[in-house]
């Protein structure tokens, strides 16, 4: 079983927060304060003073938003550590739940997926001959390019030439000579269209499917790929010896049997549940992937994104999933096609069903392991907070606790901007802190910070050609917990 410390992103995943709730939550008209967190405020002027000395940090809205949210994260972390240096006062269930749910699904899979792995050598040999794993072909080809904006007449002309070359090759003409004469692949004239030996997955699918279907010496029909039109000739084929690869092939074949059985189970589940993505869900999913921190009203959180027999995937459930993902994963959601995003939403709903089935089957987590992983998670969090200098918070003479927190946080951010410390991203912990304490970014104040920052800074120095300003250092994100049911 995987250990949480290796998989839980307590300090992984970039977080960008705003207080704006696209589902109708009111936006404050505050303009002289950029952020508020746990009774502390970050003013517009303080933000400008923090950023102004660092010419390499651009005066852009997204940078101001990121700085404001870092300030929120670490102000709340400092506040929590001031209250309890063990940080047991922070609820990490949001970070741990995806991992524990995955363990339930693993156990369910082991219970419902059964495969007969007793495969005789004769059966294995027959499968080997059919699939020819590790096979390679040595081929030549002629490539005729098709302009992306080719007219029907241009396309017909290129296709006619391709068929003529195919007929010449099949008629016995020297294929290498044809490639030298006609192929538009760079270097084809020198190589005679020779591609050497390659495996099936080394080429684009249509090309490999055609090449591997040919016998030695055969010439293909015209094959179209994203590169253009191809005529292919196979010069030689190589297949590994069965006895030499039998052990590895048996293991691979059994693994594929399990994968096929699992896919069959999941496909049947999807069909039974009749999962339907609701109108407008794609747009909501993109918005929540961009701003998973926003607090939703009960009505907004209860909105159905996917409906299925016996249940639904709600916006609140979806945003909880987004909060367990790293920024790079959320960015993929934002840029995915509508069709891909709809399929992904169905898979998230499917994962929800799998978790429900596991619980209904009486499958439970290992309590001792849960307690152990929770302890490890809190230990890791304490270590991280100490590395930032925010645990413990030292209250100097003449200071109160509030002032000590604010000074420690600004000192940490200043060191980050100087490059003396890495940016530590709190990931799921940041959301837990925002559930515990009040926090918000005032979006209307961001333009004021940008304007004042541009006015306060001197003109940017000219850099020699090819040289770039250094970027803000960041901590390498850790691996996220596995996703229930896979498919992501």
């Amino acid at each position: 079983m995987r250990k949480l410390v290796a998989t839980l992103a307590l300090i992984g995943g970039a977080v960008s927060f705003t207080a704006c709730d696209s589902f109708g939550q009111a936006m404050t008209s505050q303009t002289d304060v950029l952020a508020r967190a746990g009774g502390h405020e970050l003013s517009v002027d303080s933000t400008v003073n923090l950023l102004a000395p660092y010419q390499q940090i651009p005066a852009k809205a997204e940078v101001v938003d990121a700085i404001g949210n870092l300030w929120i994260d670490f102000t709340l972390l400092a506040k929590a550590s001031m209250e309890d240096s063990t940080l047991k006062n922070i609820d990490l269930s949001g970070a741990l739940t995806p991992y524990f749910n995955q363990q339930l699904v693993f156990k369910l899979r082991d219970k419902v997926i059964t495969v007969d792995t007793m495969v005789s050598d004769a059966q294995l040999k027959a499968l080997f001959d059919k699939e020819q794993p590790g096979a390679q072909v040595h081929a030549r080809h002629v490539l005729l390019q098709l302009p992306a904006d080719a007219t029907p007449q241009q396309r017909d002309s290129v296709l006619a030439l391709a068929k003529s070359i195919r007929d010449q090759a099949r008629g016995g003409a020297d294929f290498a000579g044809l490639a030298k004469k006609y192929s538009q692949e760079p270097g084809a004239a020198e190589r005679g269209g020779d591609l050497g030996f390659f495996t099936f997955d080394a080429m684009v699918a249509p090309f490999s499917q055609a090449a591997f279907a040919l016998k030695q010496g055969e010439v293909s029909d015209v094959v179209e790929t994203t590169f253009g039109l191809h005529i292919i000739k196979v010069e030689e084929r190589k297949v590994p010896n069965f006895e030499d690869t039998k052990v590895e092939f048996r293991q691979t074949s059994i693994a594929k049997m399990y994968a096929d059985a699992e896919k069959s189970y999941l496909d049947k589940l999807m069909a039974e549940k009749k999962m339907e993505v609701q109108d407008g869900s794609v747009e909501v999913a993109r918005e929540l992937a961009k701003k998973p921190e926003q607090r939703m009203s009960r009505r907004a959180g209860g909105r159905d994104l996917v409906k299925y027999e016996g249940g639904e995937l709600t916006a609140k459930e979806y945003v909880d999933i987004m909060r367990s993902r790293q920024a790079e994963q959320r960015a993929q959601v934002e840029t995915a096609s509508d069709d891909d995003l709809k399929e992904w939403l169905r898979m998230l709903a499917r994962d929800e069903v799998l978790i429900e089935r596991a619980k209904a089957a009486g499958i439970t987590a290992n309590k001792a392991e849960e307690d152990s992983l929770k302890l490890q998670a809190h230990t890791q969090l304490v270590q991280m907070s100490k590395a930032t200098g925010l645990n413990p918070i030292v209250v100097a003479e003449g200071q109160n606790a509030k002032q000590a927190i604010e000074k420690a946080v600004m000192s940490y951010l200043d060191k980050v901007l100087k490059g003396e410390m890495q940016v530590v991203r709190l990931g799921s912990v940041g959301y837990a802190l925002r559930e515990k304490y009040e926090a918000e970014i005032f979006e209307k104040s961001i333009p004021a910070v940008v304007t004042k920052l541009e006015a306060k800074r001197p003109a940017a120095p000219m850099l020699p050609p090819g040289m770039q300003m250094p970027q803000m250092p960041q901590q390498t994100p850790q691996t996220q917990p596995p996703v229930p049911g896979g498919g992501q």
Side-chain angles (χ1 to χ4, degrees):
M1 181 167 298
R2 305 168 197 165
K3 291 300 180 182
L4 179 67
V5 172
T7 58
L8 178 63
L10 281 179
I11 56 176
V15 181
S16 176
F17 294 96
T18 67
C20 177
D21 187 318
S22 62
F23 293 88
Q25 201 169 27
M27 170 63 73
T28 178
S29 60
Q30 188 81 48
T31 57
D32 58 343
V33 173
L34 174 64
R36 182 174 293 143
H40 300 262
E41 288 186 344
L42 177 65
S43 69
V44 166
D45 289 340
S46 293
T47 309
V48 172
N49 292 335
L50 176 67
L51 293 172
Y54 304 104
Q55 195 80 2
Q56 74 273 24
I57 308 299
K60 294 184 178 180
E62 57 267 30
V63 173
V64 174
D65 180 70
I67 289 294
N69 281 291
L70 280 175
W71 177 87
I72 287 178
D73 279 351
F74 291 99
T75 295
L76 296 182
L77 181 62
K79 184 177 179 67
S81 69
M82 176 74 81
E83 295 174 359
D84 179 3
S85 62
T86 69
L87 298 179
K88 294 290 180 63
N89 55 346
I90 300 178
D91 181 9
L92 297 182
S93 59
L96 295 165
T97 297
Y99 176 82
F100 293 136
N101 282 343
Q102 180 67 94
Q103 304 315 303
L104 296 182
V105 173
F106 285 159
K107 293 178 180 180
L108 175 68
R109 178 189 62 190
D110 294 341
K111 184 174 183 177
V112 300
I113 304 298
T114 58
V115 174
D116 182 4
T117 59
M118 298 299 293
V119 182
S120 69
D121 282 358
Q123 291 172 317
L124 195 66
K125 179 63 165 62
L127 186 62
F128 183 90
D129 291 341
K130 178 182 178 181
E131 297 186 358
Q132 295 190 348
Q136 298 183 59
V137 296
H138 174 199
R140 296 178 185 269
H141 78 137
V142 176
L143 170 64
L144 301 180
Q145 296 176 349
L146 274 174
D149 56 351
T151 64
Q153 293 79 8
Q154 288 174 318
R155 183 180 179 84
D156 289 345
S157 176
V158 176
L159 180 59
L161 176 58
K163 289 180 178 180
S164 172
I165 296 169
R166 173 203 62 191
D167 292 342
Q168 293 178 62
R170 287 179 173 177
D174 178 55
F175 197 94
L178 293 173
K180 289 179 181 180
K181 181 177 180 180
Y182 294 108
S183 185
Q184 296 171 338
E185 178 200 9
E190 293 78 10
R191 304 192 323 271
D194 192 356
L195 296 171
F197 279 98
F198 56 88
T199 58
F200 188 91
D201 57 0
M203 302 292 181
V204 291
F207 190 97
S208 285
Q209 288 166 0
F212 278 81
L214 297 172
K215 296 178 181 178
Q216 185 169 317
E218 285 187 333
V219 175
S220 73
D221 202 344
V222 178
V223 179
E224 183 171 353
T225 72
T226 54
F227 298 99
L229 301 181
H230 308 258
I231 302 92
I232 308 166
K233 181 180 180 181
V234 168
E235 302 280 7
E236 190 179 355
R237 300 177 66 94
K238 289 196 304 187
V239 179
N241 181 273
F242 173 69
E243 292 299 330
D244 293 341
T245 60
K246 181 170 66 174
V247 174
E248 181 181 353
F249 182 63
R250 184 184 296 277
Q251 294 172 342
T252 302
S253 298
I254 290 174
K256 185 176 183 301
M257 291 177 190
Y258 276 109
D260 290 345
E262 184 173 344
K263 182 179 184 303
S264 178
Y265 176 84
L266 294 175
D267 288 346
K268 182 179 179 181
L269 175 65
M270 296 281 277
E272 287 176 354
K273 288 296 183 179
K274 301 177 182 178
M275 295 180 176
E276 296 181 3
V277 178
Q278 302 301 291
D279 291 342
S281 293
V282 167
E283 292 75 18
V284 172
R286 284 202 177 95
E287 177 66 17
L288 291 177
K290 185 177 181 180
K291 298 179 178 181
E293 75 289 343
Q294 57 190 308
R295 292 185 177 181
M296 293 181 289
S297 65
R298 180 174 298 181
R299 178 181 177 183
R303 174 174 179 167
D304 295 336
L305 301 186
V306 182
K307 283 188 176 180
Y308 54 86
E309 292 287 340
E312 61 283 317
L313 174 70
T314 67
K316 176 61 169 63
E317 291 165 339
Y318 173 80
V319 83
D320 286 342
I321 294 170
M322 286 295 94
R323 290 179 175 185
S324 71
R325 304 302 170 89
Q326 292 189 23
E328 293 81 1
Q329 293 171 308
R330 297 199 304 270
Q332 291 175 1
V333 174
E334 293 179 55
T335 58
S337 69
D338 286 359
D339 287 343
D340 286 344
L341 193 46
K342 286 179 180 178
E343 183 61 22
W344 188 63
L345 286 171
R346 292 188 192 97
M347 289 183 176
L348 293 181
R350 180 204 68 191
D351 293 344
E352 186 174 79
V353 173
L354 288 172
I355 294 167
E356 291 171 355
R357 286 200 171 184
K359 293 178 179 178
I363 297 172
T364 59
N366 183 303
K367 184 64 167 58
E369 184 185 23
E370 278 195 6
D371 292 343
S372 174
L373 294 180
K374 287 177 182 178
L375 177 60
Q376 291 181 51
H378 273 105
T379 300
Q380 184 185 19
L381 179 58
V382 170
Q383 291 172 346
M384 183 274 295
S385 67
K386 289 181 177 180
T388 62
L390 300 177
N391 188 7
I393 296 292
V394 178
V395 180
E397 186 176 350
Q399 282 184 330
N400 57 34
K402 183 177 180 180
Q403 292 169 331
I405 288 174
E406 292 172 356
K407 181 178 179 179
V409 171
M410 294 302 280
S411 175
Y412 167 70
L413 292 178
D414 188 57
K415 289 177 181 178
V416 166
L417 295 173
K418 286 178 179 176
E420 296 176 358
M421 296 188 72
Q422 292 181 318
V423 178
V424 177
R425 303 290 187 175
L426 296 185
S428 298
V429 174
Y431 300 111
L433 287 167
R434 291 169 191 242
E435 290 295 326
K436 180 176 176 61
Y437 305 104
E438 290 293 324
E440 56 185 330
I441 283 282
F442 299 106
E443 287 191 331
K444 291 184 178 180
S445 298
I446 292 177
V449 176
V450 173
T451 300
K452 288 189 174 185
L453 184 56
E454 290 175 334
K456 187 165 186 174
R457 281 178 171 171
M462 296 297 292
L463 294 177
M467 182 176 291
Q468 296 181 342
M469 284 291 192
Q471 300 298 308
M472 188 186 299
Q474 294 195 14
Q475 180 177 21
T476 302
Q478 296 182 12
T479 307
Q480 285 286 350
V483 182
Q488 285 5 275

